[in-house]
Amino acid sequence: MDEIYPPDVPNNDPDRFLRCQDALHLEFAALIDRAVGAGWRADEVLTTIIELADNHALMLAANADLDSGLTVLKKKRP
């Protein structure tokens, strides 16, 4: 497997999203190939990856909300 290369542009670069796609593409394709090789159908694998990504995004958002709430509570402590 190839190594995922790090970003080489600043956070506000308009091409950063495309560069991230380029960086992840080979690993993504390899993951799909391994899952299909294990016996899963490609459509199952892709649907599962989408579901996992969605769940992970929801978890990150929930954690950020919790962190914000905890910060507010810590500031209110006597």
Side-chain angles (χ1 to χ4, degrees):
M1 245 181 282
D2 297 315
E3 186 175 331
I4 297 173
Y5 59 87
D8 59 354
V9 294
N11 287 338
N12 61 350
D13 188 286
D15 290 334
R16 188 172 169 98
F17 181 69
L18 291 174
R19 289 177 186 246
C20 183
Q21 288 181 38
D22 288 343
L24 297 178
H25 177 77
L26 293 176
E27 290 292 327
F28 179 75
L31 174 62
I32 294 168
D33 288 345
R34 287 196 321 269
V36 170
W40 298 101
R41 292 188 328 263
D43 64 315
E44 292 174 314
V45 174
L46 293 171
T47 302
T48 298
I49 290 170
I50 291 166
E51 188 73 19
L52 289 170
D54 188 48
N55 288 339
H56 194 77
L58 291 171
M59 184 245 346
L60 291 175
N63 285 348
D65 288 346
L66 179 60
D67 287 344
S68 291
L70 289 173
T71 300
V72 168
L73 288 174
K74 287 178 185 176
K75 288 180 180 178
K76 290 184 177 182
R77 288 175 86 186

